[in-house]
Coordinates of all heavy atoms in Angstrom, one line a residue:
M22 N -74.1 0.4 -15.5 CA -74.2 -0.9 -14.9 C -72.9 -1.4 -14.3 O -72.8 -1.9 -13.3 CB -74.6 -1.9 -16.0 CG -74.7 -3.3 -15.6 SD -76.1 -3.6 -14.5 CE -75.9 -5.3 -14.1
K23 N -71.8 -0.9 -14.9 CA -70.5 -1.3 -14.5 C -70.1 -0.6 -13.1 O -69.6 -1.2 -12.3 CB -69.4 -0.9 -15.5 CG -68.1 -1.5 -15.2 CD -67.1 -1.4 -16.4 CE -65.8 -2.1 -16.1 NZ -64.9 -2.2 -17.2
T24 N -70.5 0.6 -13.0 CA -70.3 1.3 -11.7 C -71.0 0.7 -10.6 O -70.5 0.6 -9.5 CB -70.7 2.9 -11.9 OG1 -70.1 3.4 -13.1 CG2 -70.4 3.7 -10.7
K25 N -72.2 0.3 -10.9 CA -73.1 -0.3 -9.8 C -72.4 -1.7 -9.4 O -72.4 -2.0 -8.2 CB -74.5 -0.5 -10.3 CG -75.4 -0.9 -9.3 CD -76.9 -1.0 -9.8 CE -77.8 -1.4 -8.7 NZ -79.2 -1.4 -9.2
S26 N -72.0 -2.4 -10.3 CA -71.3 -3.7 -10.1 C -70.0 -3.6 -9.2 O -69.8 -4.3 -8.2 CB -71.0 -4.5 -11.4 OG -72.1 -4.7 -12.1
I27 N -69.3 -2.6 -9.5 CA -68.0 -2.3 -8.8 C -68.4 -1.8 -7.4 O -67.7 -2.2 -6.4 CB -67.2 -1.2 -9.6 CG1 -66.6 -1.7 -10.8 CG2 -66.0 -0.7 -8.6 CD1 -66.0 -0.7 -11.7
G28 N -69.4 -1.0 -7.3 CA -69.9 -0.6 -6.0 C -70.4 -1.7 -5.1 O -70.0 -1.8 -3.9
I29 N -71.1 -2.7 -5.7 CA -71.5 -3.8 -4.9 C -70.3 -4.7 -4.5 O -70.3 -5.2 -3.3 CB -72.5 -4.7 -5.7 CG1 -73.9 -3.9 -5.9 CG2 -72.8 -6.0 -5.1 CD1 -74.8 -4.5 -6.9
A30 N -69.3 -4.8 -5.4 CA -68.2 -5.6 -5.0 C -67.4 -4.9 -3.8 O -67.0 -5.6 -3.0 CB -67.3 -5.8 -6.2
L31 N -67.3 -3.6 -3.9 CA -66.6 -2.9 -2.9 C -67.4 -3.0 -1.5 O -66.7 -3.1 -0.5 CB -66.5 -1.4 -3.2 CG -65.4 -1.0 -4.2 CD1 -65.4 0.4 -4.6 CD2 -64.0 -1.5 -3.7
I32 N -68.6 -3.0 -1.6 CA -69.4 -3.2 -0.4 C -69.1 -4.5 0.3 O -68.9 -4.7 1.5 CB -70.9 -2.9 -0.6 CG1 -71.2 -1.5 -0.9 CG2 -71.7 -3.4 0.6 CD1 -72.6 -1.2 -1.4
I33 N -69.1 -5.6 -0.5 CA -68.9 -6.9 -0.1 C -67.4 -7.0 0.5 O -67.1 -7.5 1.6 CB -69.0 -7.9 -1.2 CG1 -70.6 -8.0 -1.5 CG2 -68.5 -9.3 -0.7 CD1 -70.8 -8.8 -2.7
I34 N -66.5 -6.4 -0.2 CA -65.1 -6.4 0.3 C -64.9 -5.7 1.6 O -64.3 -6.0 2.5 CB -64.2 -5.8 -0.8 CG1 -64.1 -6.8 -2.0 CG2 -62.8 -5.6 -0.3 CD1 -63.4 -6.3 -3.2
G35 N -65.7 -4.6 1.7 CA -65.7 -3.7 2.9 C -66.2 -4.4 4.1 O -65.7 -4.3 5.2
I36 N -67.2 -5.1 3.8 CA -67.8 -6.0 5.0 C -66.9 -7.0 5.4 O -66.7 -7.2 6.7 CB -69.2 -6.6 4.5 CG1 -70.2 -5.5 4.4 CG2 -69.6 -7.7 5.5 CD1 -71.6 -6.0 3.7
V37 N -66.2 -7.7 4.5 CA -65.2 -8.7 4.8 C -64.0 -8.1 5.6 O -63.6 -8.6 6.6 CB -64.7 -9.5 3.6 CG1 -63.6 -10.4 3.9 CG2 -65.9 -10.3 3.1
M38 N -63.6 -6.9 5.1 CA -62.4 -6.2 5.8 C -62.8 -5.7 7.2 O -62.0 -5.6 8.0 CB -62.0 -5.0 4.9 CG -61.3 -5.4 3.7 SD -60.8 -4.0 2.7 CE -59.5 -3.3 3.8
T39 N -64.1 -5.4 7.4 CA -64.5 -5.0 8.7 C -64.6 -6.1 9.7 O -64.3 -6.0 10.9 CB -65.9 -4.3 8.6 OG1 -65.8 -3.2 7.7 CG2 -66.3 -3.7 9.9
I40 N -65.0 -7.3 9.2 CA -65.1 -8.5 10.1 C -63.8 -9.1 10.3 O -63.4 -9.3 11.5 CB -66.1 -9.5 9.4 CG1 -67.5 -8.9 9.3 CG2 -66.0 -10.8 10.2 CD1 -68.5 -9.8 8.6
Y41 N -63.0 -9.2 9.3 CA -61.6 -9.8 9.4 C -60.6 -8.7 9.2 O -60.4 -8.2 8.1 CB -61.4 -10.9 8.3 CG -62.3 -12.0 8.4 CD1 -63.3 -12.2 7.5 CD2 -62.2 -13.0 9.5 CE1 -64.2 -13.3 7.6 CE2 -63.1 -14.0 9.5 CZ -64.1 -14.2 8.6 OH -64.9 -15.3 8.7
T42 N -60.0 -8.3 10.3 CA -59.1 -7.1 10.3 C -57.7 -7.5 10.0 O -56.8 -6.7 10.3 CB -59.2 -6.4 11.6 OG1 -58.8 -7.3 12.7 CG2 -60.6 -5.8 11.9
G43 N -57.4 -8.7 9.5 CA -56.1 -9.0 9.1 C -56.0 -10.5 8.8 O -56.9 -11.3 9.0
F44 N -54.8 -10.9 8.3 CA -54.5 -12.3 8.0 C -53.0 -12.5 8.2 O -52.2 -11.5 8.2 CB -55.0 -12.7 6.7 CG -54.3 -12.0 5.6 CD1 -53.2 -12.4 4.9 CD2 -54.9 -10.7 5.1 CE1 -52.6 -11.8 3.8 CE2 -54.4 -10.1 4.0 CZ -53.2 -10.6 3.4
N45 N -52.6 -13.7 8.2 CA -51.2 -14.1 8.3 C -50.8 -14.9 7.1 O -51.7 -15.7 6.7 CB -50.9 -14.9 9.6 CG -50.9 -14.1 10.9 OD1 -50.5 -12.9 10.8 ND2 -51.3 -14.7 11.9
Y46 N -49.6 -14.8 6.6 CA -49.1 -15.7 5.7 C -47.8 -16.2 6.2 O -47.1 -15.5 6.8 CB -49.1 -15.2 4.2 CG -48.2 -14.1 4.0 CD1 -46.9 -14.3 3.5 CD2 -48.5 -12.7 4.2 CE1 -46.0 -13.3 3.2 CE2 -47.7 -11.7 4.0 CZ -46.4 -12.0 3.5 OH -45.5 -11.0 3.3
V47 N -47.4 -17.4 5.8 CA -46.2 -18.0 6.3 C -45.2 -18.3 5.1 O -45.6 -18.8 4.0 CB -46.5 -19.4 7.0 CG1 -45.2 -20.1 7.5 CG2 -47.5 -19.2 8.1
T48 N -43.9 -17.9 5.3 CA -42.9 -18.2 4.4 C -41.9 -19.2 5.0 O -41.7 -19.2 6.2 CB -42.2 -17.0 3.9 OG1 -41.6 -16.3 5.0 CG2 -43.2 -16.0 3.1
T49 N -41.3 -20.0 4.2 CA -40.3 -21.0 4.6 C -39.0 -20.6 3.9 O -38.9 -20.4 2.7 CB -40.7 -22.4 4.3 OG1 -42.0 -22.6 4.8 CG2 -39.7 -23.4 4.8
E50 N -37.9 -20.5 4.8 CA -36.6 -20.2 4.2 C -35.6 -21.2 4.7 O -35.7 -21.7 5.9 CB -36.1 -18.8 4.5 CG -35.8 -18.5 5.9 CD -35.4 -17.1 6.1 OE1 -36.2 -16.2 5.9 OE2 -34.2 -16.9 6.5
K51 N -34.6 -21.6 3.9 CA -33.7 -22.5 4.3 C -32.6 -21.8 5.2 O -32.1 -20.7 4.8 CB -32.9 -23.1 3.1 CG -33.6 -24.2 2.4 CD -32.8 -24.8 1.3 CE -33.6 -25.8 0.5 NZ -32.8 -26.3 -0.6
V52 N -32.3 -22.4 6.3 CA -31.3 -21.9 7.2 C -30.0 -22.6 7.0 O -28.9 -22.0 6.9 CB -31.8 -21.9 8.7 CG1 -30.6 -21.4 9.6 CG2 -33.0 -21.2 8.9
V53 N -30.1 -23.9 7.0 CA -28.9 -24.8 6.8 C -29.2 -25.8 5.7 O -30.3 -26.4 5.7 CB -28.5 -25.5 8.1 CG1 -27.4 -26.4 7.9 CG2 -28.2 -24.5 9.2
D54 N -28.2 -26.0 4.8 CA -28.4 -27.0 3.7 C -27.1 -27.7 3.5 O -26.2 -27.2 2.8 CB -28.9 -26.3 2.4 CG -29.2 -27.4 1.4 OD1 -29.2 -28.6 1.7 OD2 -29.5 -27.0 0.2
I55 N -26.8 -28.8 4.3 CA -25.6 -29.5 4.3 C -25.9 -30.9 3.8 O -26.3 -31.7 4.6 CB -24.9 -29.5 5.7 CG1 -24.7 -28.1 6.2 CG2 -23.5 -30.3 5.5 CD1 -24.1 -28.0 7.6
G56 N -25.7 -31.1 2.5 CA -26.0 -32.5 2.0 C -27.4 -32.9 2.3 O -28.4 -32.2 1.9
P57 N -27.6 -34.0 3.0 CA -28.9 -34.6 3.3 C -29.6 -33.8 4.5 O -30.8 -34.0 4.7 CB -28.7 -36.0 3.6 CG -27.3 -36.0 4.1 CD -26.6 -35.0 3.3
I58 N -28.9 -33.0 5.2 CA -29.4 -32.3 6.3 C -29.9 -30.9 5.9 O -29.1 -30.1 5.3 CB -28.4 -32.1 7.4 CG1 -27.9 -33.5 7.9 CG2 -28.9 -31.3 8.6 CD1 -26.7 -33.5 8.9
Q59 N -31.1 -30.6 6.1 CA -31.7 -29.3 5.9 C -32.5 -28.8 7.1 O -33.2 -29.6 7.7 CB -32.7 -29.4 4.7 CG -32.0 -29.7 3.4 CD -33.0 -29.7 2.2 OE1 -34.2 -29.5 2.4 NE2 -32.5 -29.9 1.0
I60 N -32.3 -27.6 7.4 CA -33.0 -27.0 8.5 C -33.8 -25.8 7.8 O -33.1 -24.9 7.3 CB -32.1 -26.5 9.6 CG1 -31.3 -27.7 10.2 CG2 -32.9 -25.8 10.7 CD1 -30.3 -27.3 11.2
N61 N -35.1 -25.8 8.0 CA -35.9 -24.8 7.5 C -36.5 -23.9 8.6 O -36.8 -24.4 9.7 CB -37.1 -25.3 6.6 CG -36.5 -26.0 5.3 OD1 -35.5 -25.5 4.8 ND2 -37.1 -27.1 4.9
K62 N -36.8 -22.7 8.3 CA -37.4 -21.9 9.3 C -38.7 -21.3 8.7 O -38.7 -20.7 7.6 CB -36.5 -20.7 9.7 CG -37.0 -19.7 10.6 CD -35.9 -18.6 10.9 CE -36.5 -17.2 10.9 NZ -35.6 -16.2 11.0
E63 N -39.8 -21.4 9.5 CA -41.0 -20.8 9.0 C -41.2 -19.5 9.8 O -41.0 -19.4 10.9 CB -42.2 -21.7 9.4 CG -42.3 -23.0 8.5 CD -43.5 -23.8 8.8 OE1 -44.3 -23.5 9.8 OE2 -43.7 -24.8 8.1
Q64 N -41.6 -18.5 8.9 CA -41.8 -17.2 9.5 C -43.2 -16.6 9.2 O -43.6 -16.7 8.0 CB -40.7 -16.2 9.0 CG -40.7 -14.9 9.6 CD -39.5 -14.0 9.1 OE1 -38.8 -14.4 8.2 NE2 -39.4 -12.9 9.8
N65 N -43.9 -16.2 10.2 CA -45.2 -15.6 10.0 C -45.1 -14.1 9.7 O -44.3 -13.4 10.2 CB -46.0 -15.7 11.4 CG -46.5 -17.1 11.7 OD1 -46.7 -17.9 10.8 ND2 -46.5 -17.4 12.9
H66 N -46.0 -13.7 8.8 CA -46.0 -12.3 8.3 C -47.5 -11.8 8.5 O -48.3 -12.1 7.6 CB -45.6 -12.2 6.9 CG -44.2 -12.7 6.5 ND1 -43.1 -11.9 6.8 CD2 -43.8 -13.9 6.0 CE1 -42.0 -12.6 6.5 NE2 -42.4 -13.8 6.0
P67 N -47.7 -11.1 9.6 CA -49.1 -10.6 9.8 C -49.3 -9.4 8.9 O -48.5 -8.5 8.8 CB -49.1 -10.2 11.3 CG -47.7 -10.0 11.6 CD -46.9 -10.8 10.7
V68 N -50.5 -9.4 8.3 CA -51.0 -8.2 7.6 C -52.3 -7.7 8.3 O -53.3 -8.5 8.4 CB -51.3 -8.5 6.1 CG1 -51.8 -7.3 5.4 CG2 -50.1 -9.0 5.5
Q69 N -52.3 -6.5 8.8 CA -53.5 -6.0 9.5 C -53.8 -4.6 9.1 O -53.0 -3.9 8.7 CB -53.2 -6.1 11.0 CG -53.0 -7.5 11.5 CD -53.1 -7.6 13.0 OE1 -53.2 -6.7 13.7 NE2 -53.2 -8.8 13.5
W70 N -55.1 -4.3 9.3 CA -55.6 -3.0 9.0 C -56.7 -2.7 10.1 O -57.2 -3.5 10.7 CB -56.2 -2.8 7.6 CG -57.2 -4.0 7.2 CD1 -58.5 -3.9 7.6 CD2 -57.0 -5.2 6.6 NE1 -59.1 -5.1 7.2 CE2 -58.2 -5.9 6.6 CE3 -55.8 -5.8 6.1 CZ2 -58.3 -7.1 6.0 CZ3 -55.9 -7.0 5.5 CH2 -57.1 -7.7 5.5
A71 N -57.0 -1.4 10.2 CA -58.0 -0.9 11.1 C -59.4 -1.2 10.6 O -59.6 -1.1 9.3 CB -57.8 0.6 11.4
P72 N -60.3 -1.5 11.4 CA -61.7 -1.7 10.9 C -62.3 -0.5 10.1 O -63.2 -0.6 9.3 CB -62.5 -2.1 12.1 CG -61.5 -2.4 13.1 CD -60.3 -1.7 12.8
I73 N -61.8 0.7 10.4 CA -62.3 1.9 9.8 C -62.1 1.8 8.3 O -62.8 2.4 7.5 CB -61.7 3.2 10.4 CG1 -62.5 4.4 9.9 CG2 -60.3 3.3 10.2 CD1 -63.9 4.5 10.4
V74 N -61.0 1.1 7.8 CA -60.7 1.0 6.5 C -61.8 0.2 5.7 O -62.3 0.6 4.6 CB -59.3 0.3 6.2 CG1 -59.1 0.0 4.8 CG2 -58.2 1.0 6.8
G75 N -62.3 -0.8 6.4 CA -63.5 -1.5 5.8 C -64.7 -0.7 5.7 O -65.5 -0.7 4.7
V76 N -65.0 0.2 6.7 CA -66.1 1.1 6.7 C -66.0 2.1 5.6 O -66.9 2.4 4.9 CB -66.3 1.8 8.0 CG1 -67.3 2.8 8.0 CG2 -66.5 0.7 9.2
I77 N -64.8 2.6 5.4 CA -64.5 3.6 4.3 C -64.8 2.9 2.9 O -65.4 3.5 2.0 CB -63.1 4.1 4.3 CG1 -63.0 5.0 5.6 CG2 -62.7 4.9 3.1 CD1 -61.6 5.4 5.9
V78 N -64.4 1.7 2.8 CA -64.6 0.9 1.5 C -66.1 0.7 1.3 O -66.6 0.9 0.1 CB -63.8 -0.4 1.5 CG1 -64.1 -1.2 0.3 CG2 -62.3 -0.2 1.5
I79 N -66.8 0.4 2.4 CA -68.3 0.2 2.3 C -69.0 1.6 1.9 O -69.8 1.6 1.0 CB -68.9 -0.2 3.6 CG1 -68.4 -1.6 3.9 CG2 -70.4 -0.1 3.6 CD1 -68.8 -2.1 5.3
V80 N -68.5 2.7 2.4 CA -69.1 4.0 2.0 C -68.8 4.4 0.6 O -69.7 4.8 -0.2 CB -68.5 5.1 3.0 CG1 -68.9 6.5 2.5 CG2 -69.1 4.9 4.4
I81 N -67.6 4.1 0.1 CA -67.3 4.3 -1.3 C -68.1 3.4 -2.2 O -68.6 3.9 -3.3 CB -65.7 4.1 -1.5 CG1 -64.9 5.2 -0.9 CG2 -65.4 4.2 -3.1 CD1 -63.4 4.9 -0.8
G82 N -68.3 2.2 -1.8 CA -69.1 1.3 -2.6 C -70.5 1.7 -2.6 O -71.2 1.7 -3.7
G83 N -71.1 2.2 -1.5 CA -72.5 2.7 -1.5 C -72.6 3.9 -2.4 O -73.6 4.1 -3.1
F84 N -71.6 4.7 -2.4 CA -71.6 6.0 -3.3 C -71.7 5.5 -4.7 O -72.4 6.1 -5.5 CB -70.4 6.8 -3.0 CG -70.3 8.0 -3.9 CD1 -71.1 9.1 -3.8 CD2 -69.3 8.0 -5.0 CE1 -71.0 10.2 -4.7 CE2 -69.2 9.0 -5.9 CZ -70.0 10.1 -5.8
L85 N -70.9 4.5 -5.1 CA -70.8 4.0 -6.5 C -72.1 3.4 -6.9 O -72.6 3.6 -8.0 CB -69.7 3.1 -6.7 CG -68.3 3.7 -6.7 CD1 -67.2 2.6 -6.8 CD2 -68.1 4.8 -7.8
V86 N -72.8 2.7 -6.0 CA -74.1 2.1 -6.2 C -75.1 3.1 -6.5 O -75.9 3.0 -7.5 CB -74.5 1.1 -5.1 CG1 -75.9 0.7 -5.3 CG2 -73.6 -0.1 -5.0
V87 N -75.2 4.2 -5.7 CA -76.1 5.3 -5.8 C -75.9 6.0 -7.1 O -76.7 6.3 -7.9 CB -76.1 6.2 -4.6 CG1 -76.9 7.5 -4.9 CG2 -76.5 5.5 -3.4
K88 N -74.6 6.2 -7.4 CA -74.2 6.9 -8.7 C -74.6 6.1 -9.9 O -75.1 6.6 -10.9 CB -72.7 7.2 -8.6 CG -72.3 8.0 -9.8 CD -70.8 8.3 -9.8 CE -70.3 9.0 -11.1 NZ -68.9 9.2 -11.2
G89 N -74.3 4.8 -9.8 CA -74.7 3.9 -10.9 C -76.2 3.8 -11.1 O -76.7 3.7 -12.2
S90 N -77.0 3.9 -10.0 CA -78.4 3.8 -10.1 C -79.0 5.1 -10.7 O -80.0 5.1 -11.4 CB -79.1 3.6 -8.7 OG -78.7 2.3 -8.3
S91 N -78.4 6.2 -10.4 CA -78.9 7.5 -10.9 C -78.5 7.7 -12.4 O -79.1 8.5 -13.1 CB -78.3 8.7 -10.1 OG -77.0 8.8 -10.3
N92 N -77.5 7.0 -12.9 CA -77.1 7.2 -14.3 C -78.1 6.5 -15.3 O -78.1 6.7 -16.4 CB -75.8 6.6 -14.5 CG -74.7 7.6 -14.0 OD1 -74.9 8.7 -13.8 ND2 -73.5 7.0 -13.8
K93 N -79.0 5.7 -14.7 CA -79.9 4.9 -15.6 C -81.0 5.9 -16.1 O -81.7 5.5 -17.1 CB -80.6 3.8 -14.9 CG -79.7 2.6 -14.7 CD -80.5 1.4 -14.2 CE -79.6 0.1 -14.3 NZ -80.4 -1.0 -14.0
N94 N -81.3 7.0 -15.5 CA -82.3 7.9 -16.0 C -82.1 8.4 -17.3 O -81.3 8.9 -17.8 CB -82.6 9.0 -14.9 CG -83.1 8.4 -13.6 OD1 -83.7 7.3 -13.6 ND2 -82.8 9.1 -12.5

Protein backbone atom coordinates (compact mmCIF):
# COMPACT_ATOMS: atom_id res chain seq x y z
CA MET A 1 0.00 0.00 0.00
CA LYS A 2 2.82 2.41 0.84
CA THR A 3 4.57 1.89 -2.51
CA LYS A 4 1.35 2.58 -4.38
CA SER A 5 0.75 5.79 -2.39
CA ILE A 6 4.27 7.03 -3.08
CA GLY A 7 3.78 6.23 -6.76
CA ILE A 8 0.54 8.22 -6.92
CA ALA A 9 2.22 11.16 -5.18
CA LEU A 10 5.11 11.02 -7.67
CA ILE A 11 2.69 10.99 -10.60
CA ILE A 12 0.96 14.11 -9.26
CA ILE A 13 4.29 15.85 -8.64
CA GLY A 14 5.47 14.86 -12.12
CA ILE A 15 2.36 16.33 -13.74
CA VAL A 16 2.86 19.59 -11.86
CA MET A 17 6.57 19.65 -12.80
CA THR A 18 5.69 19.10 -16.47
CA ILE A 19 3.13 21.93 -16.49
CA TYR A 20 5.15 24.40 -14.38
CA THR A 21 8.78 24.21 -15.46
CA GLY A 22 10.08 26.53 -12.78
CA PHE A 23 9.43 29.18 -10.19
CA ASN A 24 11.03 32.33 -8.79
CA TYR A 25 11.68 33.30 -5.23
CA VAL A 26 12.70 36.75 -4.04
CA THR A 27 15.18 37.64 -1.33
CA THR A 28 15.69 41.06 0.21
CA GLU A 29 19.08 42.25 1.40
CA LYS A 30 20.14 45.49 3.00
CA VAL A 31 22.45 47.57 0.87
CA VAL A 32 22.66 50.68 3.07
CA ASP A 33 21.69 51.06 6.73
CA ILE A 34 22.53 54.54 8.03
CA GLY A 35 20.37 55.36 11.02
CA PRO A 36 16.80 55.95 9.84
CA ILE A 37 17.79 55.55 6.17
CA GLN A 38 17.67 52.04 4.81
CA ILE A 39 18.05 50.91 1.23
CA ASN A 40 17.01 47.36 0.43
CA LYS A 41 17.58 45.41 -2.75
CA GLU A 42 15.22 42.67 -3.93
CA GLN A 43 16.82 39.93 -5.96
CA ASN A 44 14.98 37.31 -8.03
CA HIS A 45 16.25 33.74 -7.95
CA PRO A 46 14.79 31.62 -10.76
CA VAL A 47 14.67 27.84 -10.32
CA GLN A 48 13.97 25.98 -13.56
CA TRP A 49 14.06 22.43 -14.88
CA ALA A 50 13.39 20.76 -18.21
CA PRO A 51 9.90 19.29 -18.76
CA ILE A 52 11.52 15.89 -19.32
CA VAL A 53 12.28 15.76 -15.59
CA GLY A 54 8.53 15.81 -14.88
CA VAL A 55 7.97 13.03 -17.42
CA ILE A 56 10.68 10.91 -15.77
CA VAL A 57 9.03 11.43 -12.36
CA ILE A 58 5.68 10.37 -13.86
CA VAL A 59 7.24 7.18 -15.29
CA ILE A 60 8.87 6.32 -11.95
CA GLY A 61 5.56 6.93 -10.16
CA GLY A 62 3.74 4.71 -12.67
CA PHE A 63 6.29 1.97 -12.09
CA LEU A 64 5.76 2.20 -8.33
CA VAL A 65 1.96 2.07 -8.73
CA VAL A 66 2.22 -1.05 -10.89
CA LYS A 67 4.73 -2.62 -8.49
CA GLY A 68 2.50 -1.79 -5.50
CA SER A 69 -0.53 -3.29 -7.23
CA SER A 70 1.29 -6.52 -8.08
CA ASN A 71 2.45 -7.00 -4.47
CA LYS A 72 -1.15 -7.47 -3.27
CA ASN A 73 -1.36 -10.97 -4.79
